Amino acid sequence: MENIDHLSVSGPGDVPAGNWFIRFAEVDRAISRTTDEQLDLLFGISAAQAKAIACLAHQPSMTQVQLAHRLHYDLASVSRLMARLVDAGIAVRRRHAHDRRCWCISLTGHGMGMVADTVAVLKAVDRRSTRDLTDDELHLFVALLRRILGNAAAHPAEMTAGVTGVADEGGEWPAAPDFYSMGRAVGW
């Protein structure tokens, strides 16, 4: 199997990526850029707004805190995101019935009318992004991403424990995990 540890992630002349996290960030930026362009062209919304619409379609009324948690965004980002959706007539904000400090968010009729098309675009992006993966590879990839996300979210202090600089004592970052070999080891 070809060693990809020193392949450029962003393009010719860029610094080679030696860290798997950089690769994830590059993938996220590439997919987000393409998704934003498509959604803006079709509906005048961003990928982040589309994700919020999809969440609100599954749970018709939630607080901004709940939405921030579901989207893995901070509360300030969700507040700005919701302001744009409210201004566009896609969502509405109301005070929580039992806690006047909280805002509840729900989709308007216009927002509900966008759900099917918005979700279809998000699914098409997922399919296009993973089209060269077999079903087994896709299953393994999603399982590993969930595990990585769970590890990062559950133990944020452990992520940087012992970090005193940009590398370990030998001046090296740990090698990027070889997901292909990991998959073969578990029978995928």
Side-chain angles (χ1 to χ4, degrees):
M1 182 165 131
E2 179 185 359
N3 182 350
I4 61 169
D5 287 338
H6 298 291
L7 290 178
S8 176
V9 178
S10 297
D14 288 340
V15 176
N19 184 327
W20 62 269
F21 182 74
I22 292 170
R23 291 185 184 138
F24 279 143
E26 289 289 329
V27 168
D28 178 56
R29 275 193 294 275
I31 292 172
S32 293
R33 189 177 321 115
T34 302
T35 307
D36 278 338
E37 289 170 0
Q38 279 188 315
L39 288 166
D40 184 43
L41 179 68
L42 295 170
F43 311 113
I45 62 173
S46 68
Q49 291 168 322
K51 291 175 196 175
I53 290 168
C55 281
L56 290 169
H58 289 289
Q59 187 174 341
S61 182
M62 63 173 64
T63 67
Q64 286 188 182
V65 172
Q66 291 170 322
L67 184 60
H69 180 72
R70 293 266 320 266
L71 295 173
H72 299 284
Y73 291 166
D74 62 76
L75 192 54
S77 296
V78 167
S79 183
R80 288 188 303 272
L81 177 82
M82 291 316 306
R84 290 191 300 270
L85 289 177
V86 168
D87 289 346
I90 296 170
V92 62
R93 253 190 273 206
R94 292 188 179 94
R95 288 282 181 194
H96 192 282
H98 303 292
D99 186 349
R100 304 295 290 165
R101 297 170 297 171
C102 295
W103 288 98
C104 288
I105 308 157
S106 57
L107 294 175
T108 63
H110 174 61
M112 287 302 292
M114 296 176 69
V115 171
D117 291 335
T118 302
V119 170
V121 169
L122 294 175
K123 286 181 178 181
V125 169
D126 281 351
R127 282 192 306 275
R128 186 182 63 237
S129 299
T130 59
R131 69 178 170 230
D132 293 333
L133 300 178
T134 67
D135 288 343
D136 287 344
E137 289 170 333
L138 182 58
H139 178 76
L140 175 62
F141 179 65
V142 170
L144 292 171
L145 287 177
R146 284 183 177 148
R147 189 179 305 166
I148 290 168
L149 181 61
N151 288 342
H155 312 289
E158 292 177 20
M159 299 295 283
T160 55
V163 174
T164 57
V166 295
D168 65 15
E169 298 94 28
E172 297 286 326
W173 280 101
D178 180 355
F179 292 119
Y180 179 76
S181 295
M182 293 165 95
R184 283 194 348 238
V186 295
W188 291 101

